[in-house]
Amino acid sequence: MKAGPPTLRRAIVRPPGPSYAEGLTTAGLGPPDLERALAQHAAYCDALERLGLALIRLDPDPFHPDSTFVEDAAVLTPRGAVLTLPGAPSRRGEIAGIRPAIEPFFPAPREIAAPGTLDGGDVCDAGDRVFVGVSSRTNAEGARQLAAILGGWGIPVTGVDIRGAAALLHLKSGLASLGPGLLAVDSTLADHPAFRAYDLVRVSEVERYAANCVRVNEAVLVAEGFPEFAAALAARGLAVQPIAMSEFEKMDGGLSCLSLRF
């Protein structure tokens, strides 16, 4: 197996709340089944624990339907944390619920300020640098602010404008870091010059949802039901762990969205 990124030890998670079906979505896959979503979330958490992560479990937030997608509320790095300012106004109240969960580990987090907007789903840590997507949720000013903060911590940043990739809500809808020099990339991003120096595992258009996968220590969590992509990862020597995600796909969510890992 390829050498992996630094060991992850903790993750912040929040199960979907009773208002989950009222959240934002463009998927057109019908309403989610809350009971099934809770079971899928529990299985996701079990997988993280089996891979060595201690979980910080937050209570469901009935006032913010999208709050189970905790990744969008903060950017966590070994050198500090940044609280985001989500591009969707209905999600901005989620930040207050994330702050007390991260402050014991990341005192005095920095913050994105208006008119900047930033969703954590647009931020991909590739080890040697961080890619920041400009999208329908993260604007150029939010990306600029994050780049300035991370640059001050000595972390190189490369911007990637995905506004022309209509199928991608966030950068990490189509991009994932699998280890040093290795990326999973959606077909719409595969020829982007930002990724020329990397070894790419390309995700076909028909399996596009699978591009949002997560390397967690010795394994890669992938959405179940995408055998071509799972086989491509296994061919690279990566241990693949499929996870049921149907009820989160319905709400534009992916595997990375469901936790803040550090």
Side-chain angles (χ1 to χ4, degrees):
M1 181 181 298
K2 291 180 182 290
T7 301
L8 296 170
R9 302 189 183 281
R10 296 183 177 89
I12 298 169
V13 295
R14 187 192 297 278
S19 63
Y20 177 55
E22 300 170 19
L24 302 168
T25 181
T26 60
L29 298 174
D33 181 301
L34 179 58
E35 184 176 350
R36 186 175 294 127
L38 288 168
Q40 291 179 353
H41 191 272
Y44 175 88
C45 291
D46 288 346
L48 294 181
E49 289 183 317
R50 286 195 302 273
L51 292 168
L53 274 61
L55 300 187
I56 298 123
R57 297 175 181 265
L58 307 183
D59 292 333
D61 181 351
F63 302 107
H64 296 97
D66 296 298
S67 58
T68 190
F69 303 125
V70 293
E71 181 185 57
D72 287 323
V75 176
L76 306 182
T77 83
R79 301 180 189 179
V82 181
L83 291 167
T84 69
L85 186 63
S90 64
R91 300 198 62 189
R92 292 176 186 169
E94 296 173 27
I95 305 305
I98 289 295
R99 182 189 292 272
I102 70 171
E103 283 187 331
F105 308 99
F106 300 92
R110 302 287 298 275
E111 298 182 43
I112 300 300
T117 63
L118 179 77
D119 278 18
D122 280 314
V123 183
C124 180
D125 184 351
D128 62 333
R129 68 182 51 254
V130 169
F131 293 106
V132 180
V134 176
S135 70
S136 62
R137 299 287 178 87
T138 294
N139 65 19
E141 173 59 17
R144 185 200 65 77
Q145 289 183 34
L146 182 66
I149 293 169
L150 298 186
W153 293 339
I155 301 172
V157 173
T158 297
V160 182
D161 191 333
I162 65 165
R163 287 173 292 184
L168 301 180
L169 176 65
H170 290 125
L171 178 63
K172 281 198 288 194
S173 301
L175 182 71
S177 177
L178 300 172
L182 183 63
L183 300 173
V185 62
D186 176 85
S187 58
T188 60
L189 297 178
D191 296 322
H192 195 286
F195 311 128
R196 284 177 183 161
Y198 293 82
D199 186 10
L200 304 181
V201 181
R202 297 183 180 229
V203 185
S204 67
E205 183 176 352
V206 71
E207 292 198 347
R208 171 167 288 146
Y209 181 71
N212 183 263
C213 56
V214 182
R215 176 74 186 261
V216 180
N217 297 335
E218 71 270 20
V220 180
L221 305 184
V222 299
E224 70 175 15
F226 299 97
E228 178 185 325
F229 180 60
L233 295 180
R236 301 295 184 110
L238 295 164
V240 177
Q241 185 160 340
I243 301 288
M245 288 290 292
S246 64
E247 305 315 299
F248 299 104
E249 184 180 6
K250 291 175 180 177
M251 303 304 290
D252 290 343
L255 282 159
S256 73
C257 310
L258 292 176
S259 61
L260 278 163
R261 304 160 299 281
F262 59 102

